[in-house]
């Protein structure tokens, strides 16, 4: 494993080293450098510190682990690979992601999972352990979003306007969601018994990463949200 001390490196120099580095790298002293791991594949990067915006943007198979928080746009348009955050993340995590997995132990900011999409066997997965801010899954076109609400506080599991414009994919919320208002373009319902195996498959890896018990995780009500129209904007136009 190669070790990099990033205290005095700007983001361009840091990423240039990462691009030419060995396949396994430990990065310490990270403080806001942007685009770490962008577009990379066949690498494992472990980060101590707080990476800046667009961590793992366009990721194409690398594995990135952050032992703390991360800023905005984690996994922007990522194609493959895995990002593991042992803290909280900022806004727009998983923006337009089209493959790979993002696992967040803590909370997420606004617009997580916006424009997520899927193609053939590529199904992106975003799992948030705490709460998510407003506009979760905005314009979601594919993939899986799971929010677990594991940490007790007075907030609802998601903020305002979840699933706005959602027209593909699926969302699992570990809550009855009795206090959540969803748009009319989606259907919110209880988890069906036959879906429990599907949900377990997504959560098993999450529990292994962060030390949670899968059975305890599943021993709670889940609400499933899916789009009820392939054209949620149809009512906005005179001609369709």
């Amino acid at each position: 494993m190669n070790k990099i001390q990033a205290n005095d490196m700007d983001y361009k120099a840091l990423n240039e080293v990462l691009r030419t580095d060995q396949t396994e790298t430990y990065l310490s002293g990270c403080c806001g450098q942007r685009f770490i791991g962008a577009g990379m594949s066949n690498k494992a990067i472990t980060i101590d510190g707080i990476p800046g915006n667009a961590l793992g943007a366009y990721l194409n198979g690398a594995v990135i682990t952050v032992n703390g928080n991360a800023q905005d746009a984690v996994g922007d348009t990522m194609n493959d690979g895995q990002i593991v955050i042992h803290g909280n993340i900022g806004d727009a995590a998983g923006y337009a992601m089209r493959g790979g997995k993002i696992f967040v132990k803590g909370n997420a900011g606004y617009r997580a999972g916006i424009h997520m999409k899927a193609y053939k066997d590529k199904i992106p997965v975003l799992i948030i352990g705490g709460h998510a801010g407003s506009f979760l899954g905005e314009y979601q076109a594919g993939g899986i979003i799971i929010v677990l609400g594991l940490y007790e506080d007075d907030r609802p599991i998601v903020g305002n306007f979840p699933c706005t414009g959602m027209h593909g994919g699926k969302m699992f919320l570990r809550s009855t969601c009795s206090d959540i208002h969803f748009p009319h373009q989606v259907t919110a319902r209880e988890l069906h018994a036959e879906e429990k195996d599907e949900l377990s498959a997504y959560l098993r890896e999450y529990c292994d990463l962060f030390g949670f018990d899968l059975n305890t995780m599943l021993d709670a009500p889940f609400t499933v949200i899916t789009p009820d129209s392939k054209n949620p904007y149809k009512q906005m136009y005179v001609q369709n």
Side-chain angles (χ1 to χ4, degrees), residues 3 7 36 105 111 113 124 142 147 166 185 194 207 240:
K3 296 183 179 180
N7 294 65
I36 293 176
K105 187 175 183 180
R111 287 190 160 90
V147 184
M166 180 183 185
Q185 297 100 339
E194 60 271 20
C207 289
N240 296 280

Side-chain angles (χ1 to χ4, degrees), residues 34-147:
R34 297 171 286 166
F35 309 118
I36 293 176
M40 294 184 187
S41 56
N42 302 319
K43 288 182 180 292
I45 303 170
T46 300
I47 300 172
D48 277 349
I50 301 177
N53 290 354
L55 171 74
Y58 305 102
L59 199 70
N60 199 34
V63 175
I64 300 175
T65 302
V66 179
N67 296 320
N69 300 327
Q71 293 184 357
D72 297 344
V74 171
D76 182 348
T77 324
M78 69 182 287
N79 184 57
D80 200 359
Q82 178 174 290
I83 301 175
V84 180
I85 308 293
H86 286 267
N88 303 317
I89 54 174
D91 298 338
Y95 175 86
M97 69 182 293
R98 54 200 183 201
K101 300 175 182 177
I102 299 176
F103 300 104
V104 182
K105 187 175 183 180
N107 301 313
Y110 295 159
R111 287 190 160 90
I114 180 175
H115 283 300
M116 280 178 64
K117 60 202 71 175
Y119 180 69
K120 294 186 177 180
D121 61 342
K122 279 192 172 294
I123 301 176
V125 178
L126 170 61
I127 305 182
I128 299 162
H131 295 74
S134 297
F135 297 101
L136 175 71
E138 186 178 29
Y139 307 119
Q140 184 182 354
I144 302 294
I145 298 175
I146 303 174
V147 184

Side-chain angles (χ1 to χ4, degrees), residues 107 131 151-156:
N107 301 313
H131 295 74
Y151 312 110
E152 296 292 334
D153 59 32
D154 295 332
R155 291 180 297 169

Side-chain angles (χ1 to χ4, degrees), residues 141-210:
I144 302 294
I145 298 175
I146 303 174
V147 184
L148 298 171
L150 294 174
Y151 312 110
E152 296 292 334
D153 59 32
D154 295 332
R155 291 180 297 169
I157 193 169
V158 299
N160 297 322
F161 313 113
C163 312
T164 300
M166 180 183 185
H167 56 283
K170 184 183 287 189
M171 189 180 296
F172 297 91
L173 303 179
R174 189 171 176 265
S175 168
T176 61
C177 294
S178 58
D179 53 350
I180 306 297
H181 174 73
F182 295 101
H184 67 272
Q185 297 100 339
V186 304
T187 298
R189 56 172 174 76
E190 293 182 2
L191 178 76
H192 293 160
E194 60 271 20
E195 292 175 305
K196 199 166 186 178
D197 287 343
E198 177 190 4
L199 180 60
S200 297
Y202 294 123
L203 289 181
R204 186 170 287 108
E205 190 172 1
Y206 184 92
C207 289
D208 289 343
L209 284 167
F210 298 122

Side-chain angles (χ1 to χ4, degrees), residues 215-230:
N215 291 326
T216 302
M217 188 83 71
L218 292 170
D219 190 22
F222 275 85
T223 299
V224 180
I225 300 95
T226 54
D228 63 8
S229 169
K230 292 183 179 179

